[in-house]
Amino acid sequence: MSITNTPSSNDACLSIVHSLMCHRQGGESETFAKRAIESLVKKLKEKKDELDSLITAITTNGAHPSKCVTIGRTLDGRLQVAGRKGFPHVIYTRLWRWPDLHKNELKHVKYCQFAFDLKCDSVCVNPYHYDRVVSPGIDLSSLQLTSSAPSLGLMVKDEYDFDGQAPLPTMDGGHSLQTIQHPPSSRGGPPSEPFGTPGLLSPSDASTASTSAFPSISVGSGSEGLLLHPIPSPFHSRPVHNELGFQPPISNHPAPDYWCSIAYFEMDVQVGETFKVPSTGPVVTVDGYVDPSGGDRFCLGQLSNVHRTEAIERARLHIGKGIQLEGKGEGDVWVRCLSDHAVFVQSYYLDREAGRAPGDAVHKIYPSAYIKVFDLRQCHRQMQQQAATAQAAAAAQAAAVAGNIPGPGSVGGIAPAISLSAAAGIGVDDLRRLCILRMSFVKGWGPDYPRTSIKETPCWIEIHLHRALQLLDEVLHTMPIGDPQPLD
């Protein structure tokens, strides 16, 4: 379309959508692209200058300077389009610039005032306000790629090295398990610096991270960077930073004596006793050595297993310095990979950060990477939502059995029987999984590997987070229990 035929904000929505559709890159279906563009144009119809900026940016392929194009930030940061959820800046950048884009590859330009990572109430979705970057933590020289696209977030097959072919991840909104890479940050501090700038979830995160323990929360600068008054924290020996000064504790319930417990498994068998980490020590190391004294180290090398195979023994040799878990604030958790080999993590927090559904991804944490793997407030919101949904669905299902069929507006729009059944079937075990992390040493699982489950990996750990379990117990206690129904 020539520049003379370019619409303006005064034109009808249909004309604007048609024009913008002509510039999409083809990575998404036409139906999805149209729904996404229509949604954006309608949101911008009352902000004509921003709509004109979007039209200019897209129709000139970024050749002309353009302003921020903003929409409101949702509670979890994601936007729902055609039944799919994703980060808004990623959706529209993928639509108009790079269809194979992964969220971890975006970094905003310096003049963007409402970039996603700035945590403003509005989010800029102008695709030309973001650059595509490769993390400095990845060595591209040894990767055999079938595409010239940056490799961060790509799936890899090899566990000890990087010499495997790396196919592009599917971006079709499906629920196939995906391995997402988290390389180390060149800006992160060494393991001896617990308050150094953390390793990044994405290149753009590093550019906005403060030197605080909670880089995901934007705060003021200068003298505001220190806490002037303490708040309750399960980690008694660690100072609490300013960001939490703006947030009261989720619960006034006394912190647990132990902030987490760690169980070690070989395949599907637990080996040794569960290791409990006291709240007086927020940092614990899990390694492959043999010191039996405990304290702040859980040494897996000392544990014996009469059923241990040669393959398991070989894998155990590569655990080495292992990983370091660090509890922060009221119950957030960070992990640092000290081993010479990657660890593979199951984390609902990282799933959400990567724009995936819970349980849809395995996260490969590279040596020296330092990364947040659990957010207590996000977990608390999720357990509240799931518990409430389950209760409402069970009530709607009971009404349906009694002949009072609920409409589509009931239970937050859960109308089909299969959805009601699934929501009503959420039990304590499902909610308890929100409070658990799983990590495999050396070996990964999923479609990129010969193992379909973490229980098929040779050496892995399961971490139960006690503060989160405390909060879950409170949530369950606040849920009213209906009268039991007589059995027929």
Side-chain angles (χ1 to χ4, degrees), residues 78 85 155 170 172-180 345-348 350-352 354-363 445-448:
R78 297 186 297 168
K85 272 196 168 187
M155 297 180 286
T170 57
D172 58 2
H175 294 284
S176 59
L177 202 64
Q178 176 184 333
T179 304
I180 297 175
V345 180
Q346 185 180 75
S347 160
Y348 288 170
L350 289 181
D351 291 345
R352 182 178 288 264
R356 306 288 295 190
D360 263 10
V362 178
H363 300 270
W445 74 97
D448 307 327

Side-chain angles (χ1 to χ4, degrees), residues 7-61:
S8 74
S9 59
N10 293 320
D11 290 316
C13 285
L14 189 61
S15 299
I16 299 172
V17 170
H18 176 74
S19 174
L20 297 178
M21 280 286 287
C22 294
H23 294 269
R24 65 189 183 92
Q25 294 300 305
E28 300 285 1
S29 69
E30 183 175 353
T31 300
F32 178 85
K34 188 174 182 181
R35 292 277 292 276
I37 295 172
E38 283 177 344
S39 173
L40 180 57
V41 170
K42 288 177 181 177
K43 286 183 173 75
L44 298 174
K45 203 57 178 159
E46 300 302 318
K47 299 188 286 185
K48 293 185 179 296
D49 58 333
E50 293 189 22
L51 182 52
D52 282 326
S53 286
L54 175 69
I55 295 170
T56 298
I58 301 307
T59 58
T60 66
N61 294 324

Side-chain angles (χ1 to χ4, degrees), residues 158-169:
D158 295 271
E159 296 154 89
Y160 294 99
D161 50 40
F162 306 113
D163 62 4
Q165 189 175 2
L168 289 170

Side-chain angles (χ1 to χ4, degrees), residues 263 265 343-348 361-363 365 373 432-433 435-441 445 453-455 457 460-465:
F265 293 83
V343 293
F344 297 81
V345 180
Q346 185 180 75
S347 160
Y348 288 170
V362 178
H363 300 270
I365 312 298
V373 293
R432 192 171 59 87
R433 290 190 189 100
C435 312
I436 295 173
L437 295 169
R438 286 176 163 182
M439 301 185 188
S440 171
F441 295 97
W445 74 97
S453 163
I454 194 172
K455 293 184 178 181
T457 62
W460 59 281
I461 56 175
E462 185 172 85
I463 304 149
H464 291 243
L465 303 172

Side-chain angles (χ1 to χ4, degrees), residues 290-468:
V290 295
D291 186 350
S293 59
D296 62 352
R297 281 180 64 196
F298 183 19
C299 294
L300 306 180
Q302 61 162 324
L303 302 176
S304 59
N305 177 10
V306 295
H307 301 294
R308 183 172 294 151
T309 65
E310 184 179 346
I312 294 175
E313 191 62 64
R314 283 199 307 270
R316 280 168 52 85
L317 292 175
H318 293 281
I319 295 174
K321 295 179 182 179
I323 55 109
Q324 190 177 72
L325 293 169
E326 184 173 1
K328 295 188 177 184
E330 194 176 353
D332 294 353
V333 180
W334 292 66
V335 65
R336 188 189 301 272
C337 181
L338 304 177
S339 174
D340 292 333
H341 301 284
V343 293
F344 297 81
V345 180
Q346 185 180 75
S347 160
Y348 288 170
Y349 170 77
L350 289 181
D351 291 345
R352 182 178 288 264
E353 285 294 295
R356 306 288 295 190
D360 263 10
V362 178
H363 300 270
K364 185 173 184 178
I365 312 298
Y366 282 84
S368 300
Y370 179 51
I371 190 169
K372 185 176 182 179
V373 293
F374 182 80
D375 185 287
L376 185 69
R377 289 182 181 274
Q378 182 192 93
C379 176
H380 186 238
R381 286 194 299 268
Q382 197 169 356
M383 65 176 65
Q384 285 180 314
Q385 291 167 358
Q386 288 195 17
T389 299
Q391 184 194 29
Q397 197 175 45
V401 170
N404 183 15
I405 307 296
S410 303
V411 199
I414 302 175
I418 187 168
S419 298
L420 278 175
S421 178
I426 296 175
V428 174
D429 284 343
D430 299 292
L431 296 171
R432 192 171 59 87
R433 290 190 189 100
L434 300 174
C435 312
I436 295 173
L437 295 169
R438 286 176 163 182
M439 301 185 188
S440 171
F441 295 97
V442 183
K443 299 286 187 176
W445 74 97
D448 307 327
Y449 303 99
R451 296 161 293 277
T452 59
S453 163
I454 194 172
K455 293 184 178 181
E456 297 173 17
T457 62
C459 40
W460 59 281
I461 56 175
E462 185 172 85
I463 304 149
H464 291 243
L465 303 172
H466 293 191
R467 185 60 167 175

